[in-house]
Amino acid sequence: MPSDLPSDARILVVDDHVEMGRMLQEPLADAGWTVDLATGGQEALTLIRSRVYDAVLTDLRMEKVDGLDVLAAAHAVDAELPVLLMTAFGGVESAVEAMRRGAYHYFTKPFRLDEVRLYLGRALEDRRLRAEHRALKSQERSGLGALVGRSAPMRGLYELIDRVAHAAAPVLLRGESGSGKELVARALHLEGPRASGPFVAVNCTALPGPLLESELFGHVKGAFTGATSVRRGLFVEAHGGTLFLDEIGDMPTELQARLLRVLEDGEVRAVGSDASRTVDVRVVAATHQDLEARVREGRFRADLFYRLNVVTLRVPSLKERREDIPQLVEHFTTRSRARNPRSRVTSLSPEVVAALGAMPWPGNVRELENLVERLVVLVPRETVTLEDLSPHAPIPEPVSPLAQAQEGVWTLRKLEGEYIHWMVQHCGGNKTRAAELLGIDVSTIHRRERER
């Protein structure tokens, strides 16, 4: 095998002509790869869901379940799984459409085996490099700073983080409690030019006004009873980095003017001091409050609101990104096991993950994380079952679209789209399973999601 081709990979070859599949299987296995053969698209879907593959090589034209269906199913399981297609000359137009949908490459028949090996090797090398890049990013973000999720709302958030991270303006993060706003703040810090500087976080509801003032701006010795030493304050500690002000909507009004002064002038004055000190700090603030309403009520300064609201990112709730729940569960299970090495739990059953996907999650990602850790600590077996889950989380059924439609007249297309969305929720975000139950292609689910 040429030295430039990655080894130790698992490849899935899909072709409903057994002879063609075997003709590919043997030389690819000789190249050092483990090669599974699926004699049709339906078998391929089963294998993709049950095993981990590094690449898929599939025929385009197959009965019932074709290569585009295999492509959609593979990317529903792993968005970065490279899929290469084989087609006769007459299928080139469909192959080009497959490339538009994310296929890695396509071959026209007849093709050369060395060409197949070459492009498979490139696909595997690209996958390895992406995995290494993610691992490095994960190390940089040191666990708690890592954002998890591949859903459309999260992908949109990642794009905004990339665009905003290098700006100097304050950022306002809006979203429900427990949705992960501090993780987004850390990502903004680590992706920007201040990554080597400090990241300092404070919850504005955790301290009463006078203590919060001292915490933020510092104090001199003797500034008030109990001030027996000098305190620099968090603005000074965050110099050259990022200061994260969580729940800014609850900051006492008397401190809001001082915060505005720092944002406008870049100077901070310690409590009890006559001298100001210049600081270079990027402020990221977060709130679950309706700040516009609080401005109208006179509980939040309008000028501070406008100063903070230059760049706003909305962090989606868990209800809006249910398809991320399986990945979040795996992430939290791994982390909880590291914290609790005596635990026997290694995974949550598919039925449990599906049930978690149907829950309302008023506490968002934080609530899910706490539940997973509770299960890891308390369940005395390797796999958590529905029986283990029920004492800790009553599981409601998702509200049927038919029940929702009782309140008004829905078009047939709207009812169909809502039913597809409901089925994906019912399956815990597993679109491949939802498509099987509905008797449709995964690509149809993706298309209807874009239309909602």
Side-chain angles (χ1 to χ4, degrees), residues 44-361:
L45 300 188
T46 302
L47 289 172
I48 287 169
R49 289 194 303 272
S50 60
R51 296 180 184 173
V52 176
Y53 289 101
D54 298 294
V56 176
L57 176 63
T58 179
D59 193 20
L60 181 60
R61 296 279 181 87
M62 296 182 290
E63 294 185 5
K64 295 184 179 178
V65 179
D66 64 12
L68 292 179
D69 297 324
V70 173
L71 171 66
H75 284 177
V77 172
D78 181 349
E80 294 185 351
L81 181 62
V83 178
L84 298 84
L85 294 118
M86 304 172 288
T87 182
F89 181 75
V92 169
E93 185 175 340
S94 297
V96 172
E97 171 64 15
M99 295 289 288
R100 189 184 68 80
R101 296 189 191 183
Y104 186 85
H105 189 70
Y106 74 90
F107 307 97
T108 54
K109 299 176 181 178
F111 46 76
R112 301 192 312 274
L113 287 174
D114 58 348
E115 180 186 13
V116 174
R117 283 195 294 263
L118 174 63
Y119 278 97
L120 268 174
R122 289 180 180 177
L124 293 170
E125 180 66 10
D126 288 348
R127 182 171 174 82
R128 182 186 66 79
L129 290 173
R130 284 196 300 269
E132 288 183 356
H133 179 72
R134 283 196 305 273
L136 288 172
K137 284 293 184 184
S138 179
Q139 290 174 9
E140 290 172 4
R141 293 181 178 184
S142 66
L144 289 175
L147 291 165
V148 176
R150 304 189 192 100
S151 63
M154 291 302 290
R155 291 198 304 271
L157 181 60
Y158 298 151
E159 291 176 6
L160 289 173
I161 289 172
D162 286 338
R163 288 162 53 188
V164 170
H166 288 267
V171 178
L172 180 62
L173 304 178
R174 310 187 78 159
E176 296 179 8
S177 294
S179 57
K181 295 187 289 295
E182 182 170 345
L183 299 186
V184 175
R186 289 182 182 274
L188 284 167
H189 172 73
L190 292 168
E191 294 296 324
R194 298 173 178 269
S196 59
F199 177 88
V200 179
V202 61
N203 189 315
C204 296
T205 63
L207 298 169
L211 287 181
L212 181 60
E213 181 181 27
S214 173
E215 188 77 4
L216 288 173
F217 307 110
H219 62 253
V220 298
K221 184 176 180 180
F224 51 84
T225 303
T228 57
S229 61
V230 174
R231 176 164 179 77
R232 295 193 305 168
L234 297 182
F235 268 101
V236 175
E237 289 184 14
H239 180 71
T242 302
L243 178 63
F244 175 56
L245 301 175
D246 198 8
E247 299 301 350
I248 189 74
D250 295 311
M251 175 177 279
T253 53
E254 62 270 18
L255 294 186
Q256 294 174 22
R258 295 201 63 183
L259 174 60
L260 179 63
R261 178 67 62 87
V262 178
L263 293 176
E264 291 180 340
D265 301 338
E267 294 185 349
V268 61
R269 179 180 296 179
V271 177
S273 174
D274 295 329
S276 296
R277 177 171 179 173
T278 300
V279 290
D280 174 24
V281 174
R282 187 187 195 183
V283 171
V284 178
T287 184
H288 73 282
Q289 303 276 8
D290 182 345
L291 287 186
E292 291 86 348
R294 294 179 79 81
V295 168
R296 291 193 298 270
E297 296 165 358
R299 302 170 67 186
F300 199 85
R301 292 180 62 107
D303 47 5
L304 177 58
F305 171 70
Y306 296 131
R307 189 72 180 83
L308 291 172
N309 201 38
V310 175
V311 177
T312 300
L313 301 186
R314 183 178 172 277
V315 182
S317 67
L318 190 54
K319 299 186 290 292
E320 299 171 273
R321 45 181 293 224
R322 291 181 186 275
E323 63 193 273
D324 291 330
I325 288 178
Q327 188 184 0
L328 286 164
V329 166
E330 181 180 357
H331 174 73
F332 292 144
T333 301
T334 300
R335 201 163 74 188
S336 297
R337 275 182 53 79
R339 293 173 178 170
N340 303 278
R342 298 183 64 181
S343 171
R344 296 180 59 188
V345 172
T346 59
S347 65
L348 279 62
S349 73
E351 293 78 12
V352 170
V353 176
L356 296 178
M359 291 173 61
W361 300 114

